[in-house]
Amino acid sequence: MKNEVFHHFLKEQKLYKILSRIAKYVSIFFLIVYLYLLFSSSYTASPLIVVINYLAILTSFSGIITFKYFEIPTLLLAVFTEGKSAEFFQLGLPERQLVWRKSGREDVLPPDPTPEFITMNLHLYDRYPWKRIGKIYSMGYLVVILTSIFYLTSVYLETGFQN
C-alpha cells in the first residue's frame, strides 16, 4: 500500500512535468504562427493576429493554473480532509520528506507530524480549490483552443492567409 501511494505521487509529479512541457510547446507554436503572420503577410490588423495573441496569452496563463494545480501534492491536500488517516501518513520518512519538499517547503518535516502541523504550515485552511479550478479551466481552455484552431484552419484553407 505504501509503495502504491508513493507511486501515485510520482505519477502526479510526472504529469505536472508533461503538462508544463506541453504548455511550453503550445506557446512556442503560437509564437511561431504569430511571427509568421506578422512578418509574411499584410494581416497586422487582422482578427487572425488578435486570435493568435489571445491564444498565446491564454496559454501563458495556463502555466499559472498548472502550477497552482500541482503546487501542493494531492497526498498533502488529503491531510486537510482526512486527518491522520490520510495516505501521506502511511509513507516512510524519506518519502514523506520528498513529498513535503515538493510542496515548496525547504524545512525538514518532523518525524511524526500532526495533521494540524501540515495544515498550518501549508495554509490549507484558506487555500482555493485549485484541483477543481484546474479541471474547469482545462475544459474551457480546450474548448477555446479547439474552436480557435478550427477558425484559423478554415481561414487558412479559404484564403491561405493572403488578401
Side-chain angles (χ1 to χ4, degrees):
M1 179 71 168
K2 178 175 82 166
N3 238 354
E4 186 178 316
V5 170
F6 190 66
H7 181 68
H8 179 71
F9 164 74
L10 293 176
K11 282 176 49 177
E12 181 180 276
Q13 293 302 308
K14 185 177 180 180
L15 178 62
Y16 171 63
K17 287 180 182 180
I18 289 169
L19 290 176
S20 296
R21 193 173 300 142
I22 288 171
K24 180 173 72 172
Y25 293 145
V26 169
S27 291
I28 290 170
F29 170 75
F30 287 135
L31 175 65
I32 290 168
V33 171
Y34 173 74
L35 291 174
Y36 168 76
L37 291 173
L38 187 63
F39 293 116
S40 68
S41 69
S42 59
Y43 275 86
T44 55
S46 165
L48 294 175
I49 295 295
V50 173
V51 168
I52 293 295
N53 275 329
Y54 285 142
L55 291 177
I57 291 169
L58 183 65
T59 302
S60 296
F61 182 72
S62 297
I64 296 169
I65 299 293
T66 302
F67 170 75
K68 294 303 283 181
Y69 186 90
F70 289 103
E71 180 181 30
I72 298 178
T74 306
L75 285 172
L76 287 172
L77 290 174
V79 170
F80 182 64
T81 55
E82 298 173 18
K84 197 70 171 170
S85 64
E87 292 178 332
F88 175 75
F89 294 106
Q90 298 171 7
L91 298 175
L93 189 58
E95 290 92 359
R96 274 193 266 168
Q97 189 63 44
L98 178 63
V99 173
W100 183 252
R101 280 196 307 270
K102 285 293 183 178
S103 69
R105 308 298 281 165
E106 293 298 322
D107 53 338
V108 177
L109 184 68
D112 192 25
T114 63
E116 294 77 25
F117 174 83
I118 292 170
T119 301
M120 294 301 288
N121 276 292
L122 297 178
H123 303 285
L124 297 180
Y125 50 86
D126 64 354
R127 180 176 168 75
Y128 286 113
W130 287 107
K131 297 288 184 186
R132 192 162 155 240
I133 292 169
K135 289 174 184 171
I136 293 169
Y137 179 83
S138 295
M139 296 308 295
Y141 176 79
L142 284 175
V143 168
V144 169
I145 290 292
L146 293 175
T147 304
S148 300
I149 289 174
F150 177 77
Y151 170 71
L152 292 171
T153 303
S154 68
V155 168
Y156 179 75
L157 292 175
E158 288 178 18
T159 66
F161 294 144
Q162 303 299 320
N163 278 341

